[in-house]
Amino acid sequence: MARSLAELRTAIDAVDQELLALLNRRAELAHEVGEVKKIDGSPVFRPEREAQVIAGLQQANPGPLKPEGIAHVWREIMSACRALEARLRVAYLGPAGTFSEQAALQFFGASIERVPCASIDEVFQATAAGRADYGVAPMENSTEGVVSRSLDLLLTSPLHVVGETSLLVRHNLLRSTPSLEGITAVYAHPQALAQCQQWLNTHLPNAERHAASSNAEGARLATTNPAWAGIASERAASEFGLHVVAPAIQDEAGNRTRFAVLCLPSTLAMPAPSAPQGGRDCVSLVLSVPNRPGAVHDLLTPLKKHGVSMTRFESRPARSGSPVSAWEYHFYIDLQGHPSEPHVAAALRELQSLCAFYKVLGAYPVSE
């Protein structure tokens, strides 16, 4: 006979008490781990270890919880336990309500000290100067391509990439009044304006489009004039008390942005491979080659020879300032694997021998 609603709620309450006891037991163990780390000088945050834990739980999960649900729940559990050792300071493009903040919370969990920054440059500066332990910066959008400023900063920054996270980006038109009528200007980050241009052309062809330092700043500006609107997240709408007058206005339904997690090598060295525990790893490089016929083609030879897959290839002007090298380029490359794997290490050695400039930007677990 089916149980009543009251009986089911009683059963759930009992399970919640069991979960609470187990979570506190886990927290006690995590605290012991923290004490051991203090003695041997190990870092508080280990992204490859957390990736291994989540991957292992997802593989062992019999359901009905979905794999993505497992990831979200355990990310917060690990974040809360990690905060018992130290609350990580994480810099991101602010203010509150940006997709960058959402990406930071998705990667680290909510138990962090938030360090909102006014620009991507400031995210790099705050992390390099030690005002933040880690920085989160947008790298690539599935609709508009790479975030050029982030790539340019990686070239000269002392920071390296230790993780990544991918965020499904849903843009919403926000306004102080619940109507599309009478909008004269739309404010948003340039990437967001570009990702919504078809919708704007169709529904607000006469409204001016203005670039803001972030989508959350665009939402803030929308609060200052009833004829202005911003493009931002639902979180930003709640943060600034705005109406969502048009939801999901991005031109591509599967619009995603990939964010890099950055830090100084002294904060966290290159993460160990996560692949042996069911994860996947990536090596990010930036390089240039001598300006001669076939030089770029030759870069592919070591990869093919040692069986290493290339998952991304982007070019950026070298910006050396010299008229002679005005048309020379840096190439940003992502490779599948980890430098500790023999075939990857062999490919990297041969690749470096072909380059005029070569820099490993980081090796890290790949975001699902």
Side-chain angles (χ1 to χ4, degrees):
M1 185 174 180
R3 285 181 286 182
S4 68
L5 182 59
E7 290 172 327
L8 290 170
R9 284 174 172 168
T10 299
I12 287 175
D13 289 345
V15 171
D16 284 344
Q17 291 299 316
E18 293 176 29
L19 286 173
L20 180 60
L22 289 171
L23 287 172
N24 277 303
R25 183 179 165 193
R26 189 192 193 283
E28 289 170 356
L29 292 170
H31 181 68
E32 288 186 44
V33 169
E35 294 303 311
V36 173
K37 286 181 176 180
K38 288 177 184 176
I39 294 170
D40 63 19
S42 299
V44 170
F45 179 56
R46 291 275 306 281
E48 80 284 4
R49 167 63 181 160
E50 296 195 1
Q52 290 168 7
V53 169
I54 290 174
L57 289 167
Q58 288 175 324
Q59 290 174 4
N61 175 37
L65 285 177
K66 302 294 185 184
E68 58 270 23
I70 295 291
H72 291 314
V73 168
W74 256 265
R75 185 73 68 196
E76 289 302 331
I77 291 172
M78 290 188 289
S79 179
C81 290
R82 194 193 314 126
L84 296 175
E85 303 174 53
R87 190 173 287 269
L88 299 178
R89 297 166 298 163
V90 181
Y92 56 86
L93 179 63
T98 61
F99 290 111
S100 291
E101 181 189 42
Q102 190 175 335
L105 296 175
Q106 178 173 284
F107 187 84
F108 289 99
S111 298
I112 58 172
E113 181 181 333
R114 304 177 199 189
V115 184
C117 298
S119 64
I120 294 175
D121 291 60
E122 189 180 329
V123 171
F124 276 77
Q125 291 163 4
T127 310
R131 295 195 301 276
D133 302 304
Y134 294 89
V136 175
M139 288 291 154
E140 183 179 22
N141 177 263
S142 60
T143 303
E144 288 300 306
V146 298
V147 181
S148 301
R149 187 57 186 158
S150 294
L151 292 188
D152 290 342
L153 289 167
L154 272 176
L155 184 66
T156 56
S157 172
L159 306 177
H160 68 154
V161 184
V162 295
E164 69 166 18
T165 190
S166 175
L167 194 67
L168 183 63
V169 174
R170 287 194 171 94
H171 291 304
N172 306 283
L173 192 74
L174 312 181
R175 194 185 181 191
S176 58
T177 57
S179 170
L180 282 173
E181 298 298 323
I183 294 176
T184 61
V186 178
Y187 290 82
H189 189 275
Q191 282 267 336
L193 291 172
Q195 292 162 26
C196 302
Q197 59 181 322
Q198 292 180 23
W199 190 94
L200 292 171
N201 289 342
T202 301
H203 298 277
L204 295 172
N206 298 318
E208 296 179 358
R209 301 173 197 179
H210 297 281
S213 60
S214 70
N215 289 335
E217 175 61 13
R220 188 197 66 79
L221 289 168
T223 66
T224 66
N225 188 321
W228 294 355
I231 297 174
S233 64
E234 289 185 8
R235 180 182 175 86
S238 177
E239 187 76 27
F240 294 101
L242 295 169
H243 296 277
V244 177
V245 293
I249 66 170
Q250 68 278 355
D251 297 329
E252 298 292 335
N255 186 34
R256 300 190 76 89
T257 297
R258 186 167 69 108
F259 294 82
V261 179
L262 312 157
C263 72
L264 290 168
S266 57
T267 301
L268 180 67
M270 180 184 293
S274 64
Q277 300 295 327
R280 293 187 299 125
D281 296 291
C282 173
V283 186
S284 290
L285 311 167
V286 58
L287 48 85
S288 64
V289 292
N291 191 1
R292 58 175 176 77
V296 175
H297 177 270
D298 290 345
L299 295 177
L300 304 178
T301 302
L303 305 182
K304 181 178 180 180
K305 176 182 175 182
H306 296 285
V308 176
S309 296
M310 181 168 59
T311 57
R312 186 168 70 98
F313 187 94
E314 301 283 349
S315 64
R316 292 283 297 151
R319 296 176 179 264
S320 64
S322 168
V324 177
S325 58
W327 301 108
E328 292 183 353
Y329 290 85
H330 284 119
F331 300 99
Y332 293 80
I333 299 174
D334 282 353
L335 304 178
Q336 199 172 76
H338 192 275
S340 64
E341 297 176 80
H343 71 295
V344 177
L348 291 177
R349 282 194 299 270
E350 290 191 26
L351 194 60
Q352 185 173 8
S353 69
L354 300 172
C355 297
F357 175 82
Y358 174 94
K359 181 183 180 183
V360 177
L361 299 176
Y364 47 92
V366 172
S367 169
E368 294 300 328

